[in-house]
Amino acid sequence: MRVLAINDISCVGKCSLSVSLPILSACGVTCDVLPTALLSTHTGGFQGYTCLDLTDELQAILAHWKTLGLQFDIIYSGYLGSIEQIRLVSDIRREFLKANGTFIVDPVMGDGGKLYAGFTLTYIERMRALCKEADYVLPNVTEACYLADIPYEKTPSIPLLMQKLTTLCPRPIVTGITENNVISVKYVSEYGNESYSTKSVEGFFHGAGDVFSSAFVGCLANGKTQEQAVRLAADFTTAAVKRTAKEVPDKRYGLNFEAEIFPFLKNLFGEKK
Ligand code: PXL
């Protein structure tokens, strides 16, 4: 099983590739990487971070890969620094995804009701088009509202949100919906709208979306169903968030997910979920 993770490398702050690589490897999956940008830290809360856009290098890497005839079972995209990179990811899907492969888009654009630095309305428009090519999209609630073109609410109307998102992608999975001490993942199955909730922890936890998405991909790569993958990934993320709330004073430095990998793997490989 070969997964291609397309995402940035934030050298410090535990998000994107520095989260996907360890989690997918722990899941027993080959994680090949296509780094979209190199940042000194992620952009959430640090001042003065550096960012090297790698678009030109991506073209050279892809040209080389073509000569190798590489094909992937799963392509999973995350933080894309520019509209040009969105177009490139669409090309990569067409050229490098196996005929029966799975394309998963985490439309990383914002959180807490706001877009991250550098993202624009045109970017959102292009991201909608990329979502139309995906088998699964994994927005948080902020990204979901932007994609669905509805005003941001912490707890939006789920039927409306899911109905709008399914016009983009048949299987939207929206993370981080908080209500009355629980945090839920809302998703769509063949039976309609579904929800999986765990106990919420007060506060904002950087990189939680990347931990969830990477674990979800790792579970699918191991043959789990969508529902099983949602549950396993949500339990893992919640456990990491709980631990981080107790152990990590500065939440910009990301989740202590490493300490929860072993229990996650026990659930993934050992127990029925
Ligand atoms: O975790 C999402 C993310 C990924 N990559 C970069 C980011 C962020 C969120 O702020 O800044 C560079």
Side-chain angles (χ1 to χ4, degrees):
M1 180 61 66
R2 211 180 181 105
V3 174
L4 173 63
I6 307 173
N7 218 326
D8 71 277
I9 299 182
S10 292
C11 299
V12 165
K14 286 201 279 187
C15 63
S16 13
L17 287 184
S18 55
V19 163
S20 299
L21 263 172
I23 292 177
L24 285 162
S25 298
C27 291
V29 172
T30 298
C31 179
D32 292 323
V33 297
L34 197 55
T36 56
L38 177 66
L39 296 94
S40 52
T41 64
H42 60 67
T43 66
F46 293 102
Q47 301 302 313
Y49 56 82
T50 67
C51 179
L52 175 67
D53 180 283
L54 293 175
T55 307
D56 290 346
E57 196 59 25
L58 296 191
Q59 319 256 24
I61 292 169
L62 295 169
H64 180 220
W65 285 2
K66 265 193 215 168
T67 69
L68 302 177
L70 288 176
Q71 290 278 287
F72 299 96
D73 301 283
I74 295 178
I75 294 180
Y76 154 45
S77 74
Y79 184 94
L80 306 173
S82 64
I83 285 169
E84 192 180 351
Q85 287 192 350
I86 297 181
R87 193 184 47 72
L88 215 51
V89 170
S90 172
D91 293 346
I92 294 167
R93 181 195 66 81
R94 268 194 303 280
E95 287 176 30
F96 292 98
L97 186 64
K98 284 186 182 168
N100 58 350
T102 306
F103 180 41
I104 300 168
V105 173
D106 184 347
V108 176
M109 299 190 293
D111 209 347
K114 294 202 188 93
L115 293 176
Y116 296 134
F119 290 88
T120 61
L121 294 180
T122 315
Y123 183 95
I124 296 167
E125 198 51 55
R126 302 293 160 81
M127 183 52 84
R128 283 195 194 108
L130 187 68
C131 290
K132 287 194 175 163
E133 300 182 25
D135 298 292
Y136 297 95
V137 292
L138 306 172
N140 61 30
V141 62
T142 300
E143 293 152 352
C145 290
Y146 274 107
L147 287 174
D149 200 17
I150 63 175
Y152 169 75
E153 282 178 77
K154 223 171 153 201
T155 315
S157 154
I158 298 306
L160 174 69
L161 184 65
M162 298 315 256
Q163 182 245 314
K164 293 221 169 196
L165 290 176
T166 47
T167 65
L168 299 178
C169 172
R171 293 292 167 97
I173 298 171
V174 182
T175 57
I177 298 173
T178 46
E179 203 175 15
N180 306 326
N181 299 328
V182 297
I183 183 158
S184 308
V185 181
K186 308 284 182 186
Y187 60 103
V188 178
S189 75
E190 70 235 65
Y191 307 110
N193 289 344
E194 309 267 4
S195 180
Y196 181 66
S197 301
T198 52
K199 209 162 168 291
S200 69
V201 179
E202 197 60 48
F204 176 73
F205 294 88
H206 225 283
D210 296 342
V211 170
F212 176 87
S213 298
S214 302
F216 177 81
V217 172
C219 293
L220 280 194
N222 276 285
K224 296 294 172 189
T225 63
Q226 173 188 231
E227 183 180 20
Q228 289 168 329
V230 164
R231 287 168 177 259
L232 287 159
D235 287 350
F236 174 40
T237 310
T238 298
V241 164
K242 267 196 198 144
R243 183 180 276 278
T244 304
K246 276 196 237 129
E247 295 178 357
V248 182
D250 188 339
K251 305 297 180 278
R252 295 177 304 174
Y253 288 92
L255 295 191
N256 183 358
F257 69 90
E258 298 91 335
E260 293 297 337
I261 284 186
F262 187 56
F264 165 57
L265 295 181
K266 280 210 293 200
N267 287 334
L268 170 57
F269 294 119
E271 294 158 23
K272 285 216 177 97
K273 267 265 162 184

